[in-house]
Amino acid sequence: MKHPLLENRTRLLTWWLAWLILATGQLLLIHFVYGGKVDVAIADGAISMLLYGLLGLAVWFPVKYMLRNDNELYSSVFNIVLTGSLTIILWLILPRFLVRAFVAEKVDYDIFWHSSLVFRATAGILIFFMIVLIYYLFLSATRLAEKAARQAQLEAQVREGELKMLRSQINPHFLFNSLNSVSSLTVTDPLKAREMIVKLSDFMRYSLSARNEQPVTLQSEMESLRLYLQIEKVRFGDRLVIEEDISPECLPALLPGMLLQPLYENAVKHGVYESTEEVIIKTSARMENHSVVISVTNNVDTDSVVTRKGAGIGLKNVSSRLELFFGEMADLTVNRNDDSFNVTVRFPFRRT
């Protein structure tokens, strides 16, 4: 760990400003309380605090090891007391000889130094423990910040793992349904089966080109979804009708790749599969209070009494991925009426 004061110019200037204030206080005390001459007061105050400032900077290096979390308490206390004793002894002795070189009446200064020794030692102890406290607070803040950063990194890794797991469930889910459709078409209409395989290849190429959970724009997402709907339309023909009402201002919005595809699987599953009549899948996207609201609606056959059951992977994954990617600011709602099925997704508008 680098020195917290030497690596930051502002902190270093603040450090020396504090010692300048201490030096001013000491020279005023020496001159007005102890009656020392001006030259003695200035030399003593300036040299004493300049030296202690330098010693205070050097103290960081042993103190950062003494205050490590893996040290025993008694060991840390002993080492700090020992370091403090050596620091204060140096501070008491060195300034005495340095100041004597600048004052004319050396004998008088020696007498004054001995008379103020208790005051100097007390002040030195207080200042030393203030320095240790400052370093301790800095180390604690640094460790808390590092712990928070590690926790955030861990949470991000866990979230990325969950997102990858959810996405790995979605892709095989779609592929399984599509291959079932191709299988049935190979018997009834081989040309349509071939067309569907070509479109499926284009769609899977897009799916695989999106790396991990890198966000994509809504415009890219809709382009891939049109491929999916074209795949389904090859099979169902005129029974499947696609309508869109997409606001252009929504198109730059970012969202996880392949997020919306299960909504269309769900629309096909609960609409086209269960109906012998024309089924309209309508997509709308609009801005609402700085959020993107996407709605996928399909009509359902009111005469159908059979409901296709599934594991519920699609919509559950969409909801989970929304929460992991956007947090509590996103939601998914499902509404089924007598003649329609609607899924609405809302998430905050973000763009590159």
Side-chain angles (χ1 to χ4, degrees):
M1 183 182 296
K2 295 182 179 180
H3 199 295
L5 300 176
L6 297 180
E7 69 175 358
N8 187 291
R9 180 177 298 180
T10 302
R11 292 177 190 164
L12 187 61
L13 290 175
T14 304
W15 172 266
W16 286 117
L17 178 62
W19 288 109
L20 178 62
I21 294 173
L22 288 174
T24 303
Q26 180 165 320
L27 71 87
L28 291 174
L29 185 68
I30 292 173
H31 180 65
F32 291 104
V33 176
Y34 286 93
K37 294 182 178 180
V38 174
D39 61 332
V40 173
I42 293 176
D44 191 283
I47 293 174
S48 294
M49 292 307 164
L50 174 63
L51 181 61
Y52 213 150
L54 294 172
L55 290 172
L57 291 175
V59 161
W60 158 257
F61 297 101
V63 165
K64 72 175 180 179
Y65 291 105
M66 297 174 194
L67 296 178
R68 287 170 53 180
N69 292 330
D70 54 352
N71 289 339
E72 296 289 342
L73 178 60
Y74 70 87
S75 176
S76 297
V77 172
F78 174 79
N79 289 326
I80 288 173
V81 171
L82 179 61
T83 302
S85 300
L86 293 175
T87 301
I88 294 168
I89 290 172
L90 284 174
W91 178 64
L92 291 174
I93 295 175
L94 290 179
R96 177 186 178 185
F97 294 100
L98 292 174
V99 172
R100 290 178 86 255
F102 290 92
V103 297
E105 300 177 359
K106 295 178 174 51
V107 175
D108 292 341
Y109 177 74
D110 288 339
I111 295 173
F112 162 71
W113 185 87
H114 283 94
S115 64
S116 61
L117 183 60
V118 174
F119 162 75
R120 293 174 184 273
T122 304
I125 293 171
L126 292 176
I127 293 173
F128 177 80
F129 282 105
M130 283 296 296
I131 293 172
V132 172
L133 178 61
I134 291 171
Y135 286 151
Y136 173 77
L137 292 175
F138 177 82
L139 285 169
S140 298
T142 303
R143 288 166 184 163
L144 285 174
E146 291 175 349
K147 182 179 179 181
R150 288 194 300 269
Q151 184 69 22
Q153 184 179 9
L154 179 61
E155 291 177 356
Q157 292 173 349
V158 170
R159 182 175 62 182
E160 183 178 356
E162 292 178 354
L163 287 168
K164 288 181 178 178
M165 180 188 67
L166 292 171
R167 185 170 179 178
S168 68
Q169 293 175 337
I170 291 173
N171 287 340
H173 186 231
F174 160 70
L175 187 58
F176 175 78
N177 288 347
S178 298
L179 290 177
N180 272 345
S181 299
V182 172
S183 177
S184 63
L185 283 175
T186 55
V187 177
T188 60
D189 194 337
L191 291 177
K192 283 189 175 181
R194 181 179 179 181
E195 181 183 353
M196 188 171 182
I197 290 173
V198 173
K199 293 184 180 296
L200 178 60
S201 174
D202 292 338
F203 179 80
M204 293 306 295
R205 186 179 297 110
Y206 169 84
S207 175
L208 294 174
S209 66
R211 295 185 306 167
N212 299 325
E213 282 298 318
Q214 294 297 322
V216 299
T217 63
L218 179 59
Q219 181 173 355
S220 297
E221 183 79 350
M222 291 306 303
E223 289 173 358
S224 73
L225 291 171
R226 292 185 189 106
L227 281 173
Y228 166 75
L229 292 173
Q230 289 172 13
I231 293 170
E232 295 294 2
K233 193 169 179 60
V234 170
R235 178 179 182 186
F236 296 108
D238 294 337
R239 286 173 53 199
L240 178 57
V241 179
I242 311 300
E243 294 183 0
E244 289 185 2
D245 181 17
I246 310 294
S247 173
E249 61 181 341
C250 298
L251 295 178
L254 295 177
L255 70 163
M258 302 291 292
L259 176 73
L260 303 178
Q261 187 263 331
L263 274 59
Y264 292 87
E265 275 195 43
N266 189 75
V268 171
K269 173 181 175 181
H270 291 282
V272 185
Y273 274 99
E274 298 181 3
S275 176
T276 57
E277 304 296 329
E278 180 182 86
V279 173
I280 301 173
I281 299 179
K282 182 176 181 179
T283 305
S284 66
R286 67 186 188 278
M287 292 291 296
E288 187 176 294
N289 296 327
H290 303 290
S291 294
V292 179
V293 181
I294 300 173
S295 177
V296 179
T297 306
N298 62 276
N299 57 297
V300 296
D301 190 348
T302 55
D303 296 329
S304 175
V305 295
V306 178
T307 302
R308 301 177 69 90
K309 296 182 179 180
I313 292 175
L315 295 183
K316 288 180 181 178
N317 280 357
V318 173
S319 180
S320 298
R321 295 179 76 202
L322 277 171
E323 182 178 357
L324 288 169
F325 196 85
F326 294 105
E328 298 180 353
M329 297 181 290
D331 62 75
L332 179 147
T333 57
V334 178
N335 294 296
R336 177 160 187 166
N337 300 321
D338 293 337
D339 59 350
S340 65
F341 190 93
N342 171 266
V343 181
T344 301
V345 173
R346 180 191 299 269
F347 56 87
F349 179 80
R350 297 174 184 171
R351 62 187 304 169
T352 53

